[in-house]
Amino acid sequence: MTSRWRAIAASALDSLKLRVTLGVAAALVLGMGAITAALVGRAEHDTLRAQHQRELNDAARTADLLSGNVTGLQRDLQSVAAQLDPALLANERELDRFIRDKPVLREHFANVFVLDRYGRARLVADANGIRHPDLDVSDRPYFRQTLAQGRPVVSEPIVARLNGAPLVILTYPVFGPGGVVAVIGGSLELASRDLLAEQVRHQESDVDALTVLTDATGVILAHPDRNRLLRPIAEEPRLAEAFAAWVAMGRPMEPSGLTLPQSGEVVSAAGAAAPNWIVWRARAESELLAPLRIARRAALGWAAGLIALTSLGVFALLRSELRPLVLLERRAQHLFDGRPDADTAWPQARGEIGRLQRVLHHVGAERAQLEAFNAQVLLKLGSVMSAAPIGIAFTRDRRFELVSAEFCRLFGRAEHEFLGQPAQMIYTSEDEYQRLGALVSEAFGAGHSFVQELQMLRADGSTFWASLRGNPVATGDPAAGTIWSVADVTEQHAQTEQLAWSATHDPLTGLANRKLFLQRAGAVLAAAPLSMPATLVMIDLDRFKPINDTAGHAAGDAMLRAVAAALGTTVRATDLVVRLGGDEFALLLERCPEAAGMRIAEAVREAIHAISLPWEGRTLRIGASLGVSCLSPGMTTVDEWVDAADAACYAAKNAGRGMVHAGLPAPAIAVAHG
């Protein structure tokens, strides 16, 4: 009985009469509810606007304090790393004594550890004392990144190998004559230490407020419920929609905070720049809006009765007028099965229904001819495919109907495993399949073949790079199917990627080079004004030449790598850090207004000024002069943008060096040069 009622309900929802009636009812709902919604909505808007601003300020303040705390911890590690030298690292007893004499550092972390350059633990110091465990972390990304880039790193959340506790690791490189010789670090145990405890003070009246800390990928680092640690924030129902909206915005790390949409919540998020973490705050709307929503429900209840009566009248009228359409539907059900005869048993009707009857009659005859033609084409196609040296497949309605022997070999499946199966099975993900589907439709609609290189999925789960080419069997008729050819280009793709990286990166520092900078800056300029705001920072090192002259080029190279590491720890993850050549660097800050660019530039200046490079009994130091230019509508070329930043950099040098200057807008630059 349940299945029968279910079928009746499904049939009713397919009815044109019901859908038109529902459409009329919807129109009445929209019209009668518009005034009520406008009045109540305005009141809700004003109430929520004030709360949004408060939550935004709280999130930004918490993120700023958290960033300062992490920066302080990194400075503690830096201070200790500066005192470590190869002789001390080689003496286990002296190294133990050295770390034991650092109680402040040990109080700040769950444990402090020293690793050699191969990732082996020299010692681990915690509340129980100093140990020398047989521990190898050379496979950990945070260790590899610290060693390769020579800069401090805040790790992704991980699980400790010693005790299985969830951790966040802070590391700092220890430099020797040959570069990084060791790594010192400290761990923060997320289960026993709330990273937000020192920034957030909950009040009794704030019971609906929720404050959560995540990393840039959305993994929870701090939460009132410790069971949610290391789980995705997307599983937190009070923040799931807001997180999805933040991802759609490009995951901005905005220190001043963002207001994000979330059903039933007032949500804000702010980025903590130093560790690249996000502070999330959510507060329930229900208590704020309860009186207004009660009033709205009462008003809509009165309107519902009138709408129901009107809809019943419309439904009765449509039922009478559409009776001939029901008869036409019954006849169309036998359009291609040969019973009754294709030219008989058609109902007679006038107007639009009569015209539809004549169209269906014509379609039946045309479809029979098309099916016969397609059968002949498929027969010929099968002969071609059996001899082809590349993988060939024929799909229709997004399912495989024919596959060649080479196609089966490429994907590691037998022919019967493909036939009748969805084409999605050879793609790496549902998202990739849907993305390519839109591109294929666009190419076919423009009368072109679809050609693209992409990763495809074998039966054993492995992937390979393939050159995929598709052509419709009949242009303009998707129902006729598509012919696909596939060739394995894995080796060619690997060679191309290696050449592309080498052509766009500086070999000494690993930073982007001038070529990649011009490409990215040109793309930002071409996308203007949608790409605005965007800011360019030119950096010229002060007192760098004397280092090369007095300490040698090896010292100069070491200083350039130290500058690159300092830049990497100061800018946002989305910013492009460039070495233009010599001692000239640049930052391309997308989605960054000038005021934020000035703050980043000042942080970069301080980071470079703070570099202290031990070298052959000396301590080498440098400074930097920086010029900042925000992309303006008057700029038409990358050269104009670069000239504006260069002019600001020269002004900083002429003003005494070690300063940050903002550039003039494009019209002002033209006047100054004229």
Side-chain angles (χ1 to χ4, degrees):
M1 184 63 74
T2 302
S3 299
R4 178 186 174 190
W5 284 108
R6 223 179 256 159
I8 293 174
S11 176
L13 290 175
D14 289 336
S15 168
L16 178 62
K17 299 184 290 294
L18 182 57
R19 282 183 286 146
V20 172
T21 301
L22 292 176
V24 172
L28 291 173
V29 168
L30 290 175
M32 299 180 69
I35 296 177
T36 301
L39 294 176
V40 178
R42 180 62 183 178
E44 291 180 349
H45 173 77
D46 292 342
T47 301
L48 292 177
R49 182 171 56 184
Q51 188 62 33
H52 273 297
Q53 187 59 46
R54 176 185 170 189
E55 293 297 314
L56 189 66
N57 293 339
D58 288 345
R61 187 182 308 110
T62 302
D64 184 62
L65 291 173
L66 180 62
S67 183
N69 285 354
V70 173
T71 300
L73 293 175
Q74 289 177 323
R75 287 175 180 164
D76 291 342
L77 291 174
Q78 179 185 12
S79 176
V80 175
Q83 302 175 51
L84 293 173
D85 56 39
L88 181 58
L89 290 169
N91 190 324
E92 182 175 288
R93 176 178 295 179
E94 291 299 320
L95 183 61
D96 288 359
R97 182 182 298 112
F98 175 81
I99 295 299
R100 188 178 293 111
D101 292 339
K102 299 293 183 291
V104 175
L105 180 67
R106 293 166 59 188
E107 287 177 3
H108 289 170
F109 295 96
N111 62 62
V112 176
F113 55 85
V114 177
L115 309 171
D116 64 19
R117 63 180 300 177
Y118 303 104
R120 297 188 295 263
R122 296 295 309 282
L123 65 79
V124 175
D126 56 22
N128 297 321
I130 294 179
R131 295 172 291 152
H132 301 86
D134 183 15
L135 179 64
D136 186 348
V137 299
S138 59
D139 60 329
R140 290 291 200 186
Y142 68 81
F143 171 77
R144 294 183 177 180
Q145 189 176 359
T146 307
L147 194 67
Q149 300 179 6
R151 65 177 182 85
V153 170
V154 179
S155 78
E156 72 280 10
I158 63 174
V159 176
R161 288 176 176 168
L162 290 177
N163 58 13
L167 303 174
V168 170
I169 303 294
L170 277 66
T171 63
Y172 203 93
V174 178
F175 293 95
V180 179
V181 298
V183 173
I184 184 169
S187 63
L188 302 176
E189 289 189 358
L190 304 182
S192 61
R193 176 176 180 176
D194 187 348
L195 297 178
L196 294 174
E198 298 177 7
Q199 287 74 39
V200 179
R201 296 292 183 267
H202 292 290
Q203 301 177 3
E204 293 182 0
S205 60
D206 205 24
V207 294
D208 287 329
L210 171 68
T211 304
V212 177
L213 178 66
T214 70
D215 67 4
T217 66
V219 176
I220 294 176
L221 305 179
H223 193 287
D225 180 1
R226 297 299 174 87
N227 292 325
R228 292 186 178 273
L229 293 177
L230 299 191
R231 295 174 62 183
I233 194 174
E235 296 180 5
E236 169 55 63
R238 296 183 66 181
L239 292 169
E241 294 177 20
F243 175 73
W246 178 73
V247 171
M249 293 169 63
R251 301 174 182 264
M253 301 292 294
E254 183 54 59
S256 59
L258 297 168
T259 297
L260 299 169
Q262 173 73 33
S263 299
E265 302 282 346
V266 174
V267 174
S268 60
N276 212 27
W277 293 342
I278 299 292
V279 175
W280 302 83
R281 278 185 61 86
R283 187 179 179 87
E285 294 179 357
S286 56
E287 291 189 2
L288 297 171
L289 303 179
L292 298 174
R293 290 176 175 172
I294 290 173
R296 180 172 58 187
R297 284 195 295 270
L300 293 177
W302 285 100
L306 179 60
I307 292 172
L309 292 175
T310 304
S311 300
L312 287 174
V314 171
F315 183 81
L317 178 62
L318 288 173
R319 178 174 180 146
S320 174
E321 292 294 324
L322 295 179
R323 176 62 182 170
L325 188 60
V326 175
L327 300 176
L328 181 60
E329 176 189 359
R330 293 173 181 170
R331 175 59 183 87
Q333 290 174 349
H334 304 288
L335 190 60
F336 303 113
D337 60 8
R339 59 180 188 87
D341 184 80
D343 295 325
T344 61
W346 289 95
Q348 299 300 313
R350 297 175 298 174
E352 290 84 352
I353 297 177
R355 289 193 290 272
L356 177 61
Q357 176 265 322
R358 290 189 289 274
V359 169
L360 289 175
H361 189 182
H362 177 72
V363 166
E366 292 291 329
R367 181 62 179 267
Q369 296 179 3
L370 182 61
E371 289 290 342
F373 174 76
N374 284 344
Q376 295 177 1
V377 170
L378 290 176
L379 181 62
K380 297 175 182 178
L381 184 60
S383 299
V384 173
M385 291 173 64
S386 63
I390 62 173
I392 299 177
F394 171 72
T395 62
R396 184 159 50 184
D397 294 330
R398 299 191 175 190
R399 291 184 179 273
F400 291 106
E401 293 194 4
L402 287 174
V403 291
S404 70
E406 178 63 14
F407 190 89
C408 294
R409 188 194 68 78
L410 283 175
F411 291 96
R413 296 180 185 272
E415 181 180 7
H416 71 271
E417 295 180 82
F418 280 110
L419 299 184
Q421 298 302 312
Q424 180 186 341
M425 65 191 297
I426 62 174
Y427 294 90
T428 55
S429 68
E430 170 68 19
D431 291 342
E432 177 75 352
Y433 180 64
Q434 296 300 333
R435 182 186 71 83
L436 289 174
L439 296 177
V440 170
S441 299
E442 180 180 350
F444 288 178
H448 304 309
S449 300
F450 172 78
V451 180
Q452 186 165 341
E453 288 189 4
L454 71 159
Q455 286 188 303
M456 306 197 82
L457 186 65
R458 292 191 178 97
D460 61 4
S462 63
T463 60
F464 68 99
W465 279 98
S467 175
L468 178 66
R469 183 182 185 92
N471 287 284
V473 172
T475 302
D477 182 12
T482 306
I483 295 292
W484 302 95
S485 63
V486 180
D488 189 342
V489 294
T490 301
E491 183 176 350
Q492 300 93 310
H493 190 273
Q495 294 173 353
T496 301
E497 280 192 338
Q498 179 61 38
L499 290 174
W501 191 95
S502 299
T504 56
H505 288 77
D506 174 48
L508 176 62
T509 63
L511 300 179
N513 63 13
R514 183 181 294 272
K515 178 179 179 181
L516 181 56
F517 164 70
L518 293 176
Q519 291 174 354
R520 286 277 296 273
V524 171
L525 195 66
L530 296 178
S531 60
M532 298 169 69
T535 300
L536 177 61
V537 180
M538 302 299 289
I539 306 168
D540 193 85
L541 301 183
D542 299 332
R543 303 185 303 279
F544 177 74
K545 187 175 184 299
I547 293 178
N548 272 337
D549 293 343
T550 62
H553 288 285
D557 290 347
M559 181 59 74
L560 291 175
R561 287 191 290 268
V563 170
L567 294 177
T569 61
T570 307
V571 300
R572 304 172 303 176
T574 57
D575 297 333
L576 181 68
V577 183
V578 185
R579 184 189 177 202
L580 296 174
D583 61 349
E584 292 184 329
F585 295 80
L587 305 176
L588 180 58
L589 312 177
E590 299 185 40
R591 300 295 178 189
C592 179
E594 185 175 25
M598 290 292 289
R599 291 196 299 270
I600 293 174
E602 182 61 30
V604 167
R605 185 196 67 77
E606 293 177 357
I608 294 176
H609 182 74
I611 293 174
S612 176
L613 179 63
W615 190 267
E616 297 180 353
R618 301 168 52 189
T619 299
L620 304 181
R621 299 180 183 275
I622 60 171
S625 299
L626 298 91
V628 180
S629 175
C630 188
L631 180 62
S632 64
M635 294 179 179
T636 58
T637 66
V638 173
D639 288 341
E640 291 180 4
W641 197 7
V642 172
D643 288 344
D646 273 337
C649 187
Y650 294 148
K653 279 190 172 294
N654 292 335
R657 302 179 183 270
M659 302 179 68
V660 177
H661 270 229
L664 297 173
I669 295 170
V671 171
H673 287 179

